[in-house]
Amino acid sequence: ERVMTQSPATLSVSPGERVTVTCRASQSDSNNLAWYQQKPGQVPRLLIYGTSTRAEGIPARFSGSGSGPEFTLTISSLESEDFATYYCLQYNSWPPSLTLGPGTKVEFK
Amino acid sequence: QVQLQESGPGLVKPSETLSLTCTVSGGSTSSGDYYWVWMRKPPGKGLEWIGYIYHSGSTYYNPSLKSRSFISVDTSKNLFSLELNSVTAADTAVYYCARSIAVAPERFDSWGQGTLVTVSS
């Protein structure tokens, strides 16, 4: 069974700081990797797909990089509305499946 | 603009079957361009993938839930459904339906608002 490791579990940061979240897949070189942001009581929001493509309307401060099995989400300068939990999600074509990271909570320092 | 709306009981008894429906408007479940997905988020825990279905009826499930899950699509009514049997308190969660792009299945471009299902006697 594929497992996605995500680190760190929690990040305590201040606005303006640079944030980096990493996901590592246990056994996949798929670059079908997306990042989602979820705030309490809200629906997850797609930030990045295909490892590095920003979704429509996502600010340029969000960027994705990497290649299987290690991927990174970077927020270049954290803004107050970015405090949330971030998840990586990978699609693998065989067998067809999705793998989710456990999430990284970005909290106010 | 596609919209997805979950519906179903908010309370299910332990050992019974959880049944939810996702009604799609502004888009078609018969389109080959998308997968139709069920996700959930238990309180205080992370997101979890349950499974997804293609318009043809092909289904793919999270291995950890596969034995208890069944997803179906009704293209005539433009909806898809989830059944999860033998539920326990651990199945208490906000359940989301979503649409993913078939050529980039990690790309969920639309979500329902989510519905809280509580498993309790």
Side-chain angles (χ1 to χ4, degrees):
Chain A
E1 183 180 341
R2 294 186 180 98
V3 175
M4 190 70 79
T5 304
Q6 190 171 340
S7 61
T10 306
L11 262 177
S12 298
V13 296
S14 300
E17 290 187 18
R18 183 182 182 88
V19 168
T20 300
V21 180
T22 299
C23 274
R24 173 175 280 274
S26 64
Q27 51 174 295
S28 170
D29 59 359
S30 167
N31 289 329
N32 289 96
L33 192 286
W35 292 94
Y36 290 84
Q37 176 195 68
Q38 188 175 31
K39 298 178 182 179
Q42 295 188 17
V43 175
R45 176 192 185 197
L46 174 67
L47 300 175
I48 303 285
Y49 64 94
T51 298
S52 60
T53 302
R54 268 191 304 276
E56 186 176 346
I58 301 303
R61 65 180 181 274
F62 291 93
S63 64
S65 62
S67 63
E70 188 165 298
F71 304 89
T72 299
L73 171 70
T74 300
I75 309 173
S76 58
S77 179
L78 195 77
E79 300 205 359
S80 57
E81 62 261 34
D82 300 336
F83 291 100
T85 299
Y86 293 83
Y87 298 92
C88 58
L89 183 150
Q90 186 183 48
Y91 170 77
N92 291 277
S93 58
W94 192 257
S97 64
L98 297 168
T99 309
L100 266 165
T104 293
K105 184 177 182 180
V106 176
E107 61 181 22
F108 188 76
K109 190 173 184 180
Chain B
Q1 180 79 355
V2 66
Q3 293 188 321
L4 289 75
Q5 178 68 58
E6 305 90 350
S7 58
L11 181 64
V12 181
K13 289 182 168 56
S15 80
E16 295 190 346
T17 296
L18 178 160
S19 297
L20 295 174
T21 295
C22 182
T23 301
V24 179
S25 57
S28 174
T29 55
S30 61
S31 169
D33 293 335
Y34 305 104
Y35 290 117
W36 305 97
V37 189
W38 285 101
M39 304 281 283
R40 70 181 185 180
K41 186 182 182 307
K45 297 187 177 181
L47 278 172
E48 183 175 30
W49 161 61
I50 301 172
Y52 61 96
I53 190 165
Y54 198 44
H55 71 99
S56 61
S58 297
T59 50
Y60 309 93
Y61 297 102
N62 184 328
S64 67
L65 295 169
K66 184 175 181 178
S67 64
R68 300 193 292 126
S69 303
F70 179 73
I71 296 174
S72 59
V73 63
D74 187 334
T75 55
S76 67
K77 295 181 179 178
N78 215 30
L79 57 81
F80 61 107
S81 302
L82 168 69
E83 291 185 356
L84 183 67
N85 59 41
S86 305
V87 297
T88 70
D91 295 309
T92 294
V94 176
Y95 285 76
Y96 298 99
C97 59
R99 184 179 79 169
S100 80
I101 309 296
V103 295
E106 77 281 9
R107 182 183 170 189
F108 293 10
D109 69 338
S110 298
W111 295 71
Q113 65 185 24
T115 187
L116 174 63
V117 179
T118 301
V119 178
S120 174
S121 55

